[in-house]
């Protein structure tokens, strides 16, 4: 193997795949990054130091892992595909600050992950099919996370960072933005991968708020209000909430008062309602339970 080349070098990636007779699994959404500049930009976006601990999700053959190990103090990489374990043991054998864990990240408990370090950084090239479950897994975990840097499908990134008023804004936008400041760092061409996906990807940086906009104890009810409000996007927020809260005259009166106090017209659609307005609405309705 040509050890003087980085794992991400296209020639070395092809060599590794040939040596281990690897074919990326579509079922696991495997697309290996082969662009060193993109990998360096992802690591730069994480702003890591040698005091930092990183969790990587889906290291593949180790291309991003190699860059992370050079920037951070320690990397714990969760890999679901057993075929890749001997590959990673080979490609990353020179690094003493990497642990490979053969486990689905969605099966990792908060206790397991929080034991890795007092403060965590999450960096991942996420498979498209499982982006939202993994994202929510970390958002709702209560883990001591400083920053997440995740590459995902552009469509999901647009929803995550959307502001009120557009079709991209919805429950996912709000779930992310009550907990983090999320921003798009870069767009990555499909040509940066082997095999190339059909669409371009986007890298999103999530900086966790010191305190979420909605206290943890109130988030379950808040989520119910938001989910109900977006249940049928073409309907008004009043009609959606009536279907969830109740349709009696008393229910309608409570909803009318709560919407008024939040500054939301009953004829408005949920996609026009700001997070601040949803917070007031949820508080008013929870007080009526």
């Amino acid at each position: 193997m040509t050890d003087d080349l980085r794992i991400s070098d296209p020639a070395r990636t092809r060599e590794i795949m040939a040596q281990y007779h690897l074919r990326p699994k579509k079922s696991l959404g495997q697309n290996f990054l082969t662009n060193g500049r993109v990998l360096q930009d992802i690591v730069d976006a994480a702003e890591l130091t040698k005091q930092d601990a990183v969790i990587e999700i889906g290291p593949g053959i180790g291309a991003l892992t190699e860059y992370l190990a050079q920037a951070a103090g320690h990397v714990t990489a969760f890999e679901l595909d057993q075929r890749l374990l001997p590959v990673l043991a080979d490609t990353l054998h020179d690094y003493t600050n990497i642990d490979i864990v053969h486990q689905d990240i969605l099966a990792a408990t908060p206790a397991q992950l929080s034991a890795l370090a007092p403060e965590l950084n999450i960096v991942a090239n996420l498979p498209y099919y499982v982006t939202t479950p993994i994202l929510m897994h970390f958002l709702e975990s209560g883990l001591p996370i400083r920053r997440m840097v995740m590459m995902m499908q552009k469509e999901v990134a647009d929803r995550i960072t959307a502001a009120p008023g557009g079709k991209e804004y919805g429950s996912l936008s709000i779930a992310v933005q009550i907990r983090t400041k999320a921003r798009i760092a870069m767009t990555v061409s499909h040509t940066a991968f082997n095999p190339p996906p059909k669409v371009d990807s986007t890298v999103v940086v999530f900086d966790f708020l010191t305190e979420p906009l909605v206290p943890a104890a109130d988030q379950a009810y808040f989520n119910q209000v938001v989910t109900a409000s977006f249940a049928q996007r073409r309907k008004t927020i009043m009609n959606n909430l009536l279907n969830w809260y109740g349709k009696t005259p008393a229910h309608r009166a409570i909803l009318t008062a709560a919407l008024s106090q939040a500054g939301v017209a009953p004829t408005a659609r949920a996609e026009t309602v700001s997070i601040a307005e949803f917070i007031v609405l949820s508080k008013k309705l929870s007080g009526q339970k």
Side-chain angles (χ1 to χ4, degrees), residues 190-254:
H190 63 282
T191 60
F193 299 87
N194 181 2
K198 294 181 179 179
V199 296
D200 292 342
S201 299
T202 299
V203 176
V204 182
V205 177
F206 304 82
D207 286 312
F208 276 68
L209 302 176
T210 305
E211 294 291 338
L213 300 182
V214 178
D218 301 332
Q219 285 177 11
Y221 189 77
F222 176 82
N223 291 342
Q224 289 180 41
V225 173
V226 171
T227 301
S229 298
F230 282 97
Q232 297 184 59
R233 293 185 68 102
R234 293 187 179 183
K235 286 193 172 184
T236 66
I237 191 169
M238 173 63 93
N239 284 335
N240 277 330
L241 289 172
L242 284 169
N243 288 334
W244 165 70
Y245 195 74
K247 295 184 178 181
T248 69
H251 288 134
R252 182 181 288 273
I254 291 171

Side-chain angles (χ1 to χ4, degrees), residues 64-171:
L64 178 57
T65 322
E66 181 176 41
Y67 279 80
L68 291 171
Q70 292 170 358
H74 192 270
V75 180
T76 304
F78 285 78
E79 179 52 61
L80 181 59
D81 188 352
Q82 188 169 5
R83 301 177 308 153
L84 297 177
L85 301 183
V87 182
L88 291 165
D90 179 11
T91 60
L92 300 172
H93 71 274
D94 288 337
Y95 296 93
T96 59
N97 62 337
I98 299 172
D99 285 326
I100 305 297
V101 180
H102 180 216
Q103 184 180 7
D104 183 347
I105 191 64
L106 293 175
T109 65
Q112 176 188 353
L113 298 177
S114 62
L116 296 175
E119 186 177 60
L120 296 170
N121 299 272
I122 317 295
V123 183
N125 169 23
L126 293 175
Y128 288 167
Y129 78 98
V130 77
T131 295
T132 301
I134 289 177
L135 178 59
M136 294 308 301
H137 183 68
F138 283 107
L139 289 176
E140 296 175 346
S141 67
L143 288 167
I145 301 173
R146 180 186 73 92
R147 174 172 286 185
M148 295 195 304
V149 180
M150 293 184 167
M151 181 148 55
M152 62 190 66
Q153 191 171 356
K154 183 180 182 300
E155 176 187 350
V156 178
D158 289 343
R159 289 167 55 203
I160 283 169
T161 57
K167 64 181 181 179
E168 292 87 5
Y169 179 74
S171 300

Side-chain angles (χ1 to χ4, degrees), residues 1-21:
M1 186 172 291
T2 314
D3 289 330
D4 58 333
L5 293 177
R6 286 187 180 271
I7 298 166
S8 59
D9 183 90
R12 189 171 179 205
T13 295
R14 289 192 296 270
E15 191 174 350
I16 293 167
M17 293 176 72
Q19 178 183 353
Y20 287 93
H21 307 288

